[in-house]
Amino acid sequence: MKNSSQKILFPFIITALILVGCSGSNTPKKAASEFLNAFNEKDYEEARKYATPETIKLVDLMESLSKMSTTIDSVKHNKIEVLDEKIDGETATVTFREEGSEETEELTLKKIDGKWLVHITKADISAKENSVFNTEEEGLMMESEETIEINADSTESAPSN
């Protein structure tokens, strides 16, 4: 009798083990970690796998900016540590920081088709001074935009001869 009950339980045990083993792969923390570390290493193709369509547009923009940059990126990028996740229905907020840093940041994720994806919009970026996308290329672009604005202002107010 023992042998037949073992045969019946075996498929259930295997199924339970598979479900438990796979359950950790589809969490906001895991998706955020994969996205942030891929983005940090400029692996934009990998980062897109963990991004909503809105976020993919921003990743595309950053990839274009990094390709246009003539400087060689010699800065060592620390890994990103994902600290916490808070799930509220189909939305999650993940808290993270750069390894070795005390400063924490938050990232929003959405569950789309059963998969957690990082959701960053242009409004999110403009609302945060220190965002995930705060890069040297962005700083250079902002400086040149400010210079253009300053030059335009000075030419408007210059007295004419």
Side-chain angles (χ1 to χ4, degrees):
M1 194 71 158
K2 265 186 177 178
N3 198 13
S4 64
S5 64
Q6 287 175 341
K7 287 180 184 178
I8 293 171
L9 288 176
F10 184 72
F12 291 110
I13 293 171
I14 295 298
T15 303
L17 289 173
I18 290 171
L19 289 174
V20 169
C22 294
S23 66
S25 64
N26 189 22
T27 66
K29 283 175 83 169
K30 174 78 171 155
S33 179
E34 294 292 334
F35 173 85
L36 290 166
N37 283 300
F39 188 86
N40 200 23
E41 295 298 321
K42 296 186 179 186
D43 185 352
Y44 301 112
E45 185 175 332
E46 183 68 17
R48 284 184 194 92
K49 294 177 185 178
Y50 302 95
T52 62
E54 295 90 344
T55 308
I56 288 172
K57 290 176 186 175
L58 296 171
V59 171
D60 292 344
L61 174 65
M62 292 308 298
E63 182 176 29
S64 295
L65 291 173
S66 71
K67 285 179 181 177
M68 290 185 338
S69 175
T70 57
T71 61
I72 298 174
D73 187 9
S74 61
V75 178
K76 181 181 180 276
H77 298 285
N78 291 334
K79 286 191 69 91
I80 303 295
E81 296 176 286
V82 176
L83 306 170
D84 191 28
E85 72 181 29
K86 292 180 182 142
I87 300 172
D88 184 17
E90 300 294 305
T91 305
T93 303
V94 171
T95 306
F96 69 95
R97 70 174 171 220
E98 192 172 337
E99 212 170 61
S101 173
E102 293 301 316
E103 186 178 330
T104 62
E105 295 185 58
E106 289 186 344
L107 190 63
T108 301
L109 290 90
K110 285 187 171 184
K111 195 169 196 179
I112 299 175
D113 296 329
K115 188 175 178 184
W116 287 105
L117 301 173
V118 172
H119 184 67
I120 303 170
T121 64
K122 289 179 185 177
D124 294 335
I125 292 172
S126 63
K128 292 182 181 180
E129 184 176 297
N130 295 321
S131 71
V132 170
F133 291 93
N134 189 13
T135 65
E136 186 176 318
E137 293 90 352
E138 181 182 45
L140 291 173
M141 284 189 61
M142 292 192 64
E143 285 177 20
S144 61
E145 287 174 8
E146 289 169 2
T147 304
I148 291 167
E149 287 177 26
I150 291 168
N151 289 339
D153 290 344
S154 64
T155 56
E156 288 173 10
S157 61
S160 57
N161 291 337

